[in-house]
Every structure is written in structure tokens, then in C-alpha cells.
Amino acid sequence: MSSRDRFGLDEEPVGADAARLLYADDARRLSDFARRLVATGRDHAPGDYIHEALLLLRHAEHLAELAIVVERARGATWNEIGAAAGGITKQSAQRRWADAAETVDALTDGIGADALRSRKAATSRKPAEDLDAWYLRHLEPGDVADDTDQPVSGYLDNRPTRPCAASHGGHRPADESARSFGHGHRGALRR
């Protein structure tokens, strides 16, 4: 099956695919931000290095929150998430990332309009195509590039996934999910 068969040009990613796409987009943003910190010829006022490093840390924490959303959308249990997070208990993982369940619900219908607007995209296909191009521009010798046409969008299979619905109280109406998606999760998905 070709990557074009997995993610048709007329399909919007939903569920785990939508979560993976948001995760990939935030990883790109984090990479771009970190790359800008490498230059040493800029003038820095006192405290600028600390401010930049802490901002990078906040971006990385946001990426970790999206990782929880991806894992839950893919069906990971809270026990599995707790183990992957350094061996914390299921209950601690649930408390720490309680908003992930709401975000997973919201992504059942795809990426909301607010989140797309903040990414300057009319559809979720646009960020997927942009990520394909970004990844290919940044390939270095030794990097894995097993799908040189669509290294990001080629792995979206557009299957709606809701394996965790019973563990977090079910499904919210589509219009409520779409409205809250861009505003939820301590602002985590508003980028």
C-alpha cells in the first residue's frame, strides 16, 4: 500500500493521526526554536539566556503533553503511560495529564478550526504537507528516510481511533469538541 493510499489527499486526519500530526508540528517548532539559540554573535541582555532556556523547556513540556495525547489516542493505558514516564503510578499519570482525555475526544472529529488557524492552515492536510517538506529539507546523512515522498503524511492512515472512550467518560458532541479543542488543555493545543 502506497503512502498516498494510506492518507488520501481529500481526507482529514482524525484521532491518533490528528494527535500525531499536532505532535510532529510542535516538534518542528521546538527544533526551529532551539536552532535559533545556537547563534553566538547576538547581543544578550542579562537574563536573556535564562529566559530562552526556560522558554525552550516550556515548549518541551508542551511536546510531552502532546505525547500523552498521542499515546492515549493510540490506545495506551494509564499504566503504560505511567511506566513510560519514569515508573509513576497509573493514578499519578491520570492526575498529571487529566486533560489528555478531553483532547483525545476533541481529535475524534479532527483538528479544530482554531488550532488550524493558529498554524495558518485551512485544512490539516496543509500542516502535513508542510511537515513533509520541512523533514526533507532537514535530512542529514544517516537519517532514516524510508518514505522520501511523504515522510510525515505518508504514515497517517486516517483510522478514527477511540479505544479509551470508556476510561474517560465517553464522547462529547462534535460541535463542543471543535470549539474547545483550540482552547483546552492549559493552552497546550493553541499553538
Side-chain angles (χ1 to χ4, degrees):
M1 175 185 298
S2 78
S3 58
R4 292 216 186 268
D5 293 334
R6 287 188 298 235
F7 182 66
L9 294 176
D10 59 342
E11 298 172 351
E12 291 289 321
V14 297
D17 281 345
R20 289 170 51 211
L21 186 57
L22 291 173
Y23 177 86
D25 188 52
D26 273 32
R28 174 196 55 84
R29 290 169 187 247
L30 180 63
S31 174
D32 287 344
F33 181 80
R35 188 181 72 247
R36 286 190 300 269
L37 300 182
V38 174
T40 59
R42 299 175 289 156
D43 289 332
H44 276 76
D48 281 353
Y49 288 103
I50 295 167
H51 175 73
E52 291 172 344
L54 292 174
L55 188 54
L56 183 70
L57 181 60
R58 282 195 295 275
H59 285 297
E61 289 169 348
H62 179 261
L63 187 64
E65 291 171 0
L66 282 174
I68 302 301
V69 171
V70 171
E71 294 293 347
R72 288 295 291 165
R74 293 179 67 213
T77 66
W78 286 113
N79 281 329
E80 292 167 329
I81 290 170
I88 65 174
T89 66
K90 166 186 168 178
Q91 294 80 5
S92 294
Q94 283 177 304
R95 274 191 305 276
R96 184 169 178 185
W97 296 293
D99 293 333
E102 290 179 29
T103 304
V104 170
D105 274 351
L107 291 173
T108 301
D109 299 319
I111 299 173
D114 289 343
L116 288 172
R117 255 190 310 281
S118 72
R119 287 169 169 79
K120 297 178 176 78
T123 69
S124 8
R125 288 187 308 272
K126 176 72 170 128
E129 292 165 0
D130 290 349
L131 285 164
D132 286 336
W134 181 91
Y135 184 83
L136 292 172
R137 274 193 319 274
H138 290 84
L139 273 178
E140 294 185 11
D143 284 350
V144 175
D146 51 345
D147 186 337
T148 56
D149 291 334
Q150 295 177 305
V152 176
S153 65
Y155 292 93
L156 302 175
D157 59 17
N158 212 34
R159 285 179 289 159
T161 54
R162 295 204 27 87
C164 304
S167 66
H168 55 68
H171 176 253
R172 294 182 299 156
D175 59 339
E176 183 182 336
S177 295
R179 266 195 319 275
S180 66
F181 177 72
H183 303 290
H185 197 32
R186 287 175 297 220
L189 302 176
R190 236 187 296 164
R191 298 184 177 213

